[in-house]
Amino acid sequence: MNLKIMMAVVMAMTAMAVRAETRDPVPVVTPTQSVAQADATLERVARDRAVVADTFAAEEAVCNDKFFVNNCMDRAKEKRRMALAQLRAEEVEAEHFKRADSVAKRDAELSERARKDAEEFSRREAAPPKPARTEEELAQPAAPRGGKSVAEREAEHAQRLRRDAAKSASEVDKRAANVAAYEKRQADAVRRQEQVAKRVAERRAKAEARAADEKKKADAAAAAAAAAAAKKQ
């Protein structure tokens, strides 16, 4: 009976130690400054994930040879989970930087194209009208059937320039809206993670309080058993 009580006390204290060590730290991620740095981060994260998997496999083998297998496995799993969470945070930050950089470059290209189209259109609009055609020019053979006059081609070109400029501006607005939507989703995800972390912390606090209460009862029971054994002697 005394041995069972002592084992229960040891297991309760071990569980409390595991819970105390497994509080979720907030991942610390250094802001990315360049695409090259983001690429290097993604390559390193891939390598580190493989290292985490190998480390967990080795610790799992060690735990299988221990008496308290479950407690040892819990520690190993929690260590792996925390390492993967840190790597995932670094991966998300690097990927976000690359996407934002790509969008910024594309927007700059579209803006430059729109600027050039607008300048070309303004130049054509500001150009003086062509002089009236002479009698000799009028006497020249007409354009082949189905062909378009110079004025028609210029009008179509001007219309195409206006259409391209409007399309470029629309694409810039659309990409800006996509970036804003992505950043909102990221903020919502962070807020949900914080809420989950808060609920987990509350559950852990309750569990630790129950464990402390159980330990107190176990200590009292052990003391009572010890006192009873001393009286019998």
Side-chain angles (χ1 to χ4, degrees):
M1 180 65 180
N2 291 340
L3 179 59
K4 290 182 179 180
I5 294 174
M6 294 300 294
M7 288 182 64
V9 172
V10 171
M11 292 181 67
M13 294 179 66
T14 303
M16 290 178 61
V18 170
R19 283 190 286 266
E21 292 178 359
T22 56
R23 295 184 183 276
D24 287 346
V26 177
V28 179
V29 180
T30 302
T32 303
Q33 302 298 329
S34 66
V35 173
Q37 182 184 354
D39 290 335
T41 297
L42 294 176
E43 292 177 0
R44 177 181 56 78
V45 166
R47 293 194 302 269
D48 290 350
R49 277 205 178 100
V51 173
V52 171
D54 293 340
T55 301
F56 176 74
E59 292 179 349
E60 185 179 24
V62 173
C63 289
N64 289 330
D65 294 333
K66 291 188 175 182
F67 182 74
F68 294 106
V69 177
N70 291 338
N71 290 334
C72 181
M73 287 298 299
D74 289 342
R75 291 174 182 270
K77 290 178 180 178
E78 185 65 16
K79 180 180 177 181
R80 178 185 61 176
R81 187 188 67 79
M82 293 171 61
L84 292 177
Q86 175 65 33
L87 293 176
R88 177 56 182 162
E90 295 174 1
E91 181 181 50
V92 167
E93 199 279 336
E95 290 177 343
H96 173 67
F97 181 89
K98 291 189 66 176
R99 281 193 293 269
D101 181 78
S102 177
V103 169
K105 289 180 179 178
R106 177 59 178 169
D107 288 347
E109 292 175 358
L110 292 174
S111 297
E112 180 65 15
R113 184 189 305 172
R115 184 187 64 79
K116 290 181 178 179
D117 290 345
E119 289 180 353
E120 175 66 13
F121 178 74
S122 298
R123 184 184 66 78
R124 287 180 174 273
E125 289 291 323
K130 292 186 176 181
R133 299 175 66 184
T134 65
E135 293 181 358
E136 293 180 357
E137 291 174 339
L138 293 173
Q140 292 179 356
R145 182 175 298 178
K148 296 181 179 180
S149 65
V150 175
E152 289 175 335
R153 289 196 298 271
E154 289 181 349
E156 290 180 353
H157 181 68
Q159 183 178 4
R160 186 164 55 254
L161 289 176
R162 287 192 294 268
R163 185 169 58 250
D164 291 344
K167 182 179 178 181
S168 298
S170 176
E171 290 180 356
V172 170
D173 293 340
K174 183 177 179 181
R175 289 186 175 274
N178 290 339
V179 171
Y182 174 79
E183 291 178 349
K184 183 178 183 300
R185 290 195 299 271
Q186 289 294 102
D188 291 342
V190 171
R191 184 167 57 255
R192 287 194 297 271
Q193 290 177 357
E194 291 176 349
Q195 292 173 350
V196 171
K198 181 180 179 181
R199 290 195 295 269
V200 170
E202 291 174 351
R203 288 197 297 269
R204 283 180 176 167
K206 292 179 181 178
E208 290 175 358
R210 287 197 300 271
D213 186 60
E214 291 174 358
K215 180 179 181 300
K216 183 177 180 181
K217 292 179 180 178
D219 291 342
K231 288 182 179 180
K232 289 182 179 179
Q233 294 176 357

